Amino acid sequence: MARTLFSGVLKAHPELFERLGDYRRTRYGFSPVDLPLHFTVVPAMKALTVSRGAAPPVDARIEGPLVLLLGLLEGRCDADALFFSRDLSVTGDMEAMLALRNALDDSAIDLPRELGALAGPLSPLIAGTARYIRGKALEGRDATWN
């Protein structure tokens, strides 16, 4: 499911990884602290790997609750505030992580819309439900950093 959603986001936002410049070859890790999964993205390869167990080696990693990681992807959360409040942990190449944040800026990623696009005739129901869940999950945290 994660790979299918990832592919949909890349189709809707083909310029996203181009904005990374030299950081396209960086291995980015996303580790939700509330799931036993790790997501690794290599922009140059347009690849997403999902793994369990020990976190795979990456150049830059961000850890935090899944809902906050998804909120960051959509640009709905203040990354700086979450970092300084210790809701998120960032390790590795900080410049690469800043480049990723800048690339996500203005990308207008909407995960409920992307989920809805996968649902065929149930699209309005799935997208609406996902928007409702997102709203409740991010309540009070959905202030963008810019």
Side-chain angles (χ1 to χ4, degrees):
M1 179 67 171
R3 284 188 195 102
T4 302
L5 187 57
F6 180 74
S7 294
V9 168
L10 288 183
K11 283 180 187 169
H13 306 279
E15 75 292 346
L16 177 62
F17 289 154
E18 296 307 314
R19 294 185 68 193
L20 287 173
D22 292 339
Y23 294 105
R24 286 190 313 255
R25 297 190 195 315
T26 301
R27 291 172 299 156
Y28 292 94
F30 304 91
S31 297
V33 296
D34 45 0
L35 286 177
L37 300 173
H38 304 280
F39 301 90
T40 303
V41 175
V42 181
M45 298 171 56
K46 296 185 178 176
L48 169 71
T49 305
V50 181
S51 58
R52 291 179 177 264
V58 294
D59 302 307
R61 178 179 312 282
I62 186 168
E63 296 178 357
L66 179 63
V67 68
L68 295 182
L69 295 177
L70 294 175
L72 289 173
L73 174 67
E74 290 187 309
R76 294 185 177 278
C77 295
D78 183 335
D80 293 334
L82 293 172
F83 176 75
F84 288 114
S85 68
R86 299 182 190 249
D87 289 320
L88 297 177
S89 171
V90 179
T91 56
D93 189 337
M94 296 300 255
E95 287 183 24
M97 202 53 83
L98 181 59
L100 179 62
R101 183 177 89 169
N102 290 337
L104 290 170
D105 185 30
D106 298 328
S107 65
I109 293 173
D110 184 344
L111 292 176
R113 182 181 61 220
E114 299 298 334
L115 280 171
L118 300 173
L122 296 177
S123 178
L125 176 65
I126 299 298
T129 301
R131 276 189 197 91
Y132 176 79
I133 292 169
R134 176 183 65 198
K136 288 296 185 185
L138 290 177
E139 203 165 55
R141 296 183 180 252
D142 57 350
T144 57
W145 69 276
N146 56 358

